[in-house]
Amino acid sequence: MAAYILRRLLLMIPTLIGIMAINFVVVQFAPGGPVEKVIAKMQGTDVDATARFTGGGADLAGTGQAAPDQGANVTVTSKYRGAQGLDPEFIKKLEAEFGFDKPPLERFGLMLWNYARFDFGQSYFRSISVIDLIREKMPVSISIGLWMTLISYGISIPLGIAKAVRDGSRFDVWTSFVIAIGYAVPSFLFGILLIVLFAGGSFWSIFPLRGLTSDGWADMSWPMRIADYFWHMALPLLAMATHAFATTTLLVKNSFLDEIRKHYVLTARMKGLTDRRVLYGHVFRNAMLIVIAGFPGAFISAFFAGSLLIETIFSLDGLGLLSFESVINRDYAVVFASLYVFSLMGLVVNILSDLTYMWIDPRIDFDSREV
């Protein structure tokens, strides 16, 4: 077991480097960048996702550089779009501020060295360190991912067992129809439908549209705080869980069906055990192996993949919305740091999933398994 875990941990290093390298190369060829962002802001031609910048003459994007005199008669040919007429010395200062005065390979190596020490530097366009920014936004995304996973499992496990026991019945057919619809409809599309119906879009204004708490939440009593929190969480969780529970329900059903058809179940029934005793005393543990072991992965999937669009649609200030704004604003410091943290957590959770398998079923032997 120790040798297997060590191999997996060592394998994380080239995996992380590969993920960061691919994305770093893509960014090099992508149009636009933080320098172009500052230039566009100076000229008033940029559309910012967060509107955090000030006008001409002010400190530009938190870079510490003041805007050059726009009336100066300076002509320069620049590799940056919109930089014609700007002082080349100002452009060089911007490049140095963002680290673009170094060759790409040197910048990539420096980034990896800093990230290995969890030094993510400062946000390009916010007066806060990247690690503090991620720490500030993470509770929202963790809250959404955790509740969504618990709700989807709470629905999927009993529903999947009921479908397996009643396989082929009318109940199984009708629930399969509902599950197919839930699986086919994307979470973000269902979220928009919920907003239109219940958040003041066109019909009823029952649920709030923004944030996780109301104004004055700190002054409420504890019961009112809890009620207000779930009032805000209702629509985002419903939008995410509808799609998630469909997949897990089918997994539970198929796992139980596979176990029910095995010989040991027939033997148990021949000994006179009741169906309930057979189901929950013999089948349940074996059938739930793959479901329970997949819990860490399901949480991470909800935490990363599901949060981006849902947080954007419902204006929840979490990592998903932060990543979206950072990409739009070309805040590469936040973009790459978020990617590194997400990738590292995903790789660690994969190892935890394997350990969960072993904890549930000691028959699994990792020492003889190839990585």
Side-chain angles (χ1 to χ4, degrees), residues 267-329:
T267 303
R269 286 173 175 169
M270 291 176 63
K271 289 181 178 180
L273 297 180
T274 63
D275 289 342
R276 184 178 182 85
R277 179 70 180 276
V278 172
L279 182 64
Y280 293 102
H282 295 76
V283 175
F284 186 83
R285 179 178 180 179
N286 294 328
M288 289 300 295
L289 172 63
I290 188 173
V291 178
I292 297 176
F295 183 88
F299 170 68
I300 290 296
S301 177
F303 180 52
F304 295 152
S307 63
L308 172 58
L309 292 175
I310 295 299
E311 288 181 14
T312 303
I313 292 172
F314 290 95
S315 299
L316 301 176
D317 196 14
L319 288 177
L321 185 60
L322 172 65
S323 300
F324 172 76
E325 291 179 349
S326 300
V327 171
I328 297 299
N329 292 332

Side-chain angles (χ1 to χ4, degrees), residues 1-10 366-369 371:
M1 170 59 69
Y4 172 77
I5 295 177
L6 180 61
R7 291 199 303 269
R8 289 292 299 271
L9 291 175
L10 293 176
F366 284 106
D367 290 330
S368 60
R369 177 179 173 180
V371 178

Side-chain angles (χ1 to χ4, degrees), residues 300 303-304 319-320 323 337-347:
I300 290 296
F303 180 52
F304 295 152
L319 288 177
S323 300
S338 300
L339 176 66
Y340 180 83
V341 172
F342 289 171
S343 302
L344 180 61
M345 290 182 64
L347 293 171

Side-chain angles (χ1 to χ4, degrees), residues 65-100:
Q65 305 297 332
D69 184 4
Q70 294 291 318
N73 186 17
V74 180
T75 302
V76 61
T77 301
S78 175
K79 62 181 179 180
Y80 299 110
R81 184 175 57 185
Q84 288 76 13
L86 296 180
D87 187 352
E89 290 299 321
F90 174 73
I91 299 298
K92 290 181 179 179
K93 289 180 180 180
L94 279 181
E95 289 181 331
E97 189 71 27
F98 293 122
F100 291 160

Side-chain angles (χ1 to χ4, degrees), residues 6 167 192 198 216 242 248 258 277 294 298 331 368:
L6 180 61
D167 184 38
I192 294 174
F198 302 112
T242 302
T248 311
D258 184 57
R277 179 70 180 276
D331 195 344
S368 60

